[in-house]
Amino acid sequence: MKLDPTLLPRKDRKYYEDIKRLSTSEKKMLWYLIQKMDKNHVVILPRLNSLMKTLLDKQLVIANPLYKRARGKSFFIMPDAPYLIRKLRRLYILNKRT
């Protein structure tokens, strides 16, 4: 199964194009975040690294200002692209089975 960007809403297609332009290491980091996020597209990380800072700069990941805990920082993963994330997660599950 392959992802067809023409089936995505316009906003999600913009994210898809941004993802295509990422370096391999940035894509791996984003893929890791998508796998670890909860149903609200939130992930908590113990610390920031340079790849996370790059994703923050490109607004693929957005800091959660309401999270005030001592353990790590909270981030929203592509909050404006729910359909794209849903498709990517399905692809991950299908690829994991084969």
Side-chain angles (χ1 to χ4, degrees):
M1 180 176 172
K2 201 157 185 169
L3 182 64
D4 183 6
T6 60
L7 300 176
L8 295 171
R10 183 175 293 138
K11 205 176 223 183
D12 291 57
R13 270 184 261 157
K14 183 222 174 270
Y15 277 100
Y16 179 78
E17 293 301 322
D18 290 345
I19 291 170
K20 281 176 42 178
R21 289 188 211 108
L22 293 175
S23 71
T24 304
S25 57
E26 292 166 343
K27 286 179 186 176
K28 286 180 181 180
M29 181 64 177
L30 184 61
W31 191 246
Y32 171 79
L33 295 173
I34 289 171
Q35 292 172 33
K36 297 298 179 189
M37 72 182 186
D38 64 12
K39 66 179 181 177
N40 297 318
H41 300 190
V42 175
V43 68
I44 298 171
L45 297 175
R47 65 185 188 288
L48 283 177
N49 62 18
S50 61
L51 293 174
M52 271 302 289
K53 289 178 184 173
T54 304
L55 295 175
L56 281 165
D57 291 341
K58 294 180 180 181
Q59 296 184 341
L60 293 168
V61 176
I62 298 172
N64 181 358
L66 301 176
Y67 186 79
K68 306 286 185 194
R69 304 276 165 114
R71 292 183 302 170
K73 296 190 182 269
S74 173
F75 300 95
F76 294 108
I77 311 302
M78 296 189 296
D80 297 329
Y83 297 103
L84 176 60
I85 287 183
R86 193 173 305 132
K87 294 276 187 187
L88 291 172
R89 288 189 112 177
R90 283 186 190 143
L91 280 174
Y92 169 71
I93 291 169
L94 287 173
N95 288 333
K96 194 175 178 182
R97 289 181 186 164
T98 58

